[in-house]
Amino acid sequence: MEKRFNLQYAGIHGTYWLYYGVICSFASVFLLDRGYSNTEIGIILAVGSIFAVLLQPIMGDLADRSRRISFFGFMEMMTALLMVLTVFLLVLQKKSGLLMFVYVMAFGWMNIVQPFCNAMNRKLSETGVYVNFGACRAIGSLTYSIMCFFLGSLVEKFGVNVLPVTGEVVLILFMTAIVIVAKSFRRAMAEKFDGTKSAASGSSVENAAAGDEEEINLPMFVKRNKMFLVLCFGVLGLYYTNSVLNTYMAQIAESVGGDNGDIGRIFSILALMEIPTMMFFDRINKRFRTRTLMKFSAVAFVFWILICFLAENVMTLILAQFIQPFSFALFLPSIVRFIDDIMSKGEAVKGQTMFTTTTTMAAVFASLIGGVILDAAGPKMLTLTATCVTAVGAAVVVFSADRVKGHKQERTRR
């Protein structure tokens, strides 16, 4: 059962990050082709991110507390909506208000789905089966890497319509993966509880264990996790760099002589660099405490963007991505594990959602400010600004990581 769960959960990440590559990593390529300027692209992605920021906590709260719609039901509904929106991206061939609206919605819903993918790790653990988040998330990086390697060249050869077509195929696979995992989860929960608990409570098998946990609404969550919110402020600074590079890599690479093929190769290498760290995160975590890994990776973020700022050619830009195993690839599983360790079950999805909301807010600032900086001062100023913002974020993470842990322990003892 453990092997099956891990393979199925890996399928969730594998397909989700394929779609992320289409909608986020190649957003500039798609929208530039449709006639939008850098500033307009920044506005589109920022509005999409704001939409996600507003809805992520609400959706997370609903998923934690709902007894009518299951956790997996939420994911299936959001994926179905993404499938409809992606069809419109193919149909709408020219710059228009409708195309802008559709891209905003697709980009926003994609970001809303992400914390559900992370929180599924905690959900599956309710069965008593161990799920290796790092290894499963690494599969997402692997599939993303393979797709980006070929997608950049395909766009160069056949045009940007390759992007929504690829996105639709990927979403079909993603929906299939969700349905398969949901069935396995319900079967495992039925075996664990023998049908007695769910029958007694009148709840579905999927929600059988939920009644054992204290219900925690959003205001209560914020009150109980103030130092975690301080940590999230630092995460905002770190992910500003991540968002800048994901959103504007096309312009950064072009400024040092790159083309769409180079963009695909850079993203491919970037994702490949994530795999070893994520795959073996559990082993690394046995040797080093989670908060230590978070602080180390926060500092690595600064070096990552600094090298991108100093790059004068595509090769140096590629070499900068070799910092990835120590920055993003280490930070993501660390903070997901950290949140799981310090949050009760009633806070689980809200904790992951708060983290993802923070990263989405970073995307808002990166999109809005980044587009303006690009049009006004160029890629060098963009990467310099990102370096400064990330340095501040790293300092906050280093300062607050230990205090979040201590605050939660103190609350638990009380």
Side-chain angles (χ1 to χ4, degrees):
M1 183 181 291
E2 181 176 313
K3 183 178 181 181
R4 183 176 75 245
F5 263 28
N6 277 276
L7 286 173
Q8 292 174 354
Y9 186 47
I12 294 291
H13 283 287
T15 48
Y16 172 81
W17 288 100
L18 286 176
Y19 189 74
Y20 178 92
V22 171
I23 294 298
C24 182
S25 298
F26 281 83
S28 287
V29 174
F30 180 84
L31 293 171
L32 284 170
D33 183 82
R34 291 293 196 255
Y36 294 94
S37 69
N38 289 321
T39 299
E40 289 171 330
I41 292 170
I43 292 171
I44 291 170
L45 300 184
V47 174
S49 297
I50 291 170
F51 171 70
V53 166
L54 294 176
L55 279 190
Q56 277 171 345
I58 296 172
M59 293 299 291
D61 190 43
L62 286 174
D64 271 337
R65 303 173 67 191
S66 176
R67 295 295 179 267
R68 298 186 62 183
I69 304 175
S70 72
F71 174 89
F72 296 102
F74 275 100
M75 293 193 70
E76 288 165 1
M77 288 190 299
M78 290 187 288
T79 304
L81 178 58
L82 281 174
M83 293 171 74
V84 174
L85 293 170
T86 304
V87 170
F88 277 100
L89 292 181
L90 179 62
V91 172
L92 300 171
Q93 293 287 313
K94 295 181 180 180
K95 178 181 178 180
S96 66
L98 181 57
L99 176 57
M100 180 181 293
F101 172 78
V102 171
Y103 211 96
V104 163
M105 292 292 290
F107 188 81
W109 278 110
M110 176 205 69
N111 280 290
I112 292 169
V113 171
Q114 186 178 337
F116 282 78
C117 294
N118 292 345
M120 191 183 291
N121 179 63
R122 178 68 176 262
K123 189 72 178 176
L124 295 178
S125 71
E126 292 175 16
T127 64
V129 176
Y130 171 71
V131 178
N132 189 329
F133 174 83
C136 293
R137 175 59 180 81
I139 298 301
S141 297
L142 177 61
T143 57
Y144 173 92
S145 173
I146 294 171
M147 186 200 69
C148 286
F149 183 81
F150 292 105
L151 196 55
S153 297
L154 288 173
V155 170
E156 193 74 20
K157 186 175 182 180
F158 298 108
V160 298
N161 283 338
V162 167
L163 296 171
V165 171
T166 303
E168 194 65 32
V169 172
V170 166
L171 285 173
I172 293 171
L173 296 174
F174 184 56
M175 178 70 86
T176 303
I178 294 170
V179 171
I180 291 172
V181 172
K183 287 182 178 179
S184 294
F185 176 83
R186 284 190 282 268
R187 188 181 304 116
M189 290 296 283
E191 292 174 1
K192 178 179 179 180
F193 290 99
D194 251 348
T196 57
K197 185 169 185 176
S198 55
S201 65
S203 303
S204 68
V205 172
E206 185 170 324
N207 293 320
D212 295 339
E213 293 294 326
E214 174 188 8
E215 277 198 7
I216 301 170
N217 59 31
L218 197 57
M220 187 184 299
F221 172 85
V222 172
K223 184 177 180 180
R224 292 171 63 169
N225 294 280
K226 293 177 182 177
M227 281 305 299
F228 177 70
L229 298 183
V230 174
L231 175 68
C232 284
F233 181 79
V235 173
L236 184 71
L238 300 184
Y239 272 73
Y240 180 84
T241 274
N242 193 60
S243 297
V244 162
L245 295 180
N246 270 306
T247 304
Y248 296 114
M249 183 60 78
Q251 293 88 331
I252 295 170
E254 184 180 332
S255 72
V256 294
D259 56 22
N260 284 335
D262 291 319
I263 296 165
R265 283 184 284 274
I266 289 170
F267 280 131
S268 179
I269 292 169
L270 184 64
L272 278 175
M273 292 296 101
E274 298 174 0
I275 296 172
T277 302
M278 290 186 176
M279 188 69 71
F280 298 105
F281 176 75
D282 280 1
R283 295 186 184 182
I284 297 171
N285 199 198
K286 287 178 181 178
R287 294 178 62 90
F288 302 97
R289 291 182 296 181
T290 306
R291 59 192 179 194
T292 301
L293 296 176
M294 287 170 58
K295 291 187 285 186
F296 175 81
S297 58
V299 175
F301 265 93
V302 181
F303 286 96
W304 179 25
I305 186 61
L306 179 61
I307 297 174
C308 290
F309 164 66
L310 296 173
E312 297 292 338
N313 51 57
V314 173
M315 183 54 66
T316 305
L317 204 54
I318 289 174
L319 290 175
Q321 313 317 313
F322 283 80
I323 301 291
Q324 187 76 335
F326 312 104
S327 55
F328 176 84
L330 185 59
F331 188 83
L332 176 61
S334 295
I335 195 165
V336 169
R337 174 70 56 80
F338 187 72
I339 292 170
D340 279 348
D341 287 345
I342 65 175
M343 300 287 175
S344 65
K345 187 188 292 185
E347 300 172 310
V349 178
K350 280 186 279 292
Q352 297 294 349
T353 300
M354 189 64 68
F355 162 61
T356 309
T357 298
T358 301
T359 65
T360 307
M361 288 175 63
V364 171
F365 296 125
S367 299
L368 280 177
I369 300 171
V372 173
I373 292 175
L374 272 174
D375 283 338
K380 278 294 181 185
M381 182 57 68
L382 176 65
T383 50
L384 175 60
T385 303
T387 302
C388 297
V389 171
T390 303
V392 173
V396 173
V397 170
V398 170
F399 167 81
S400 63
D402 291 334
R403 289 165 177 79
V404 173
K405 188 87 170 178
H407 169 73
K408 295 299 292 187
Q409 287 174 337
E410 183 179 326
R411 180 175 65 79
T412 302
R413 286 195 297 269
R414 287 200 299 265

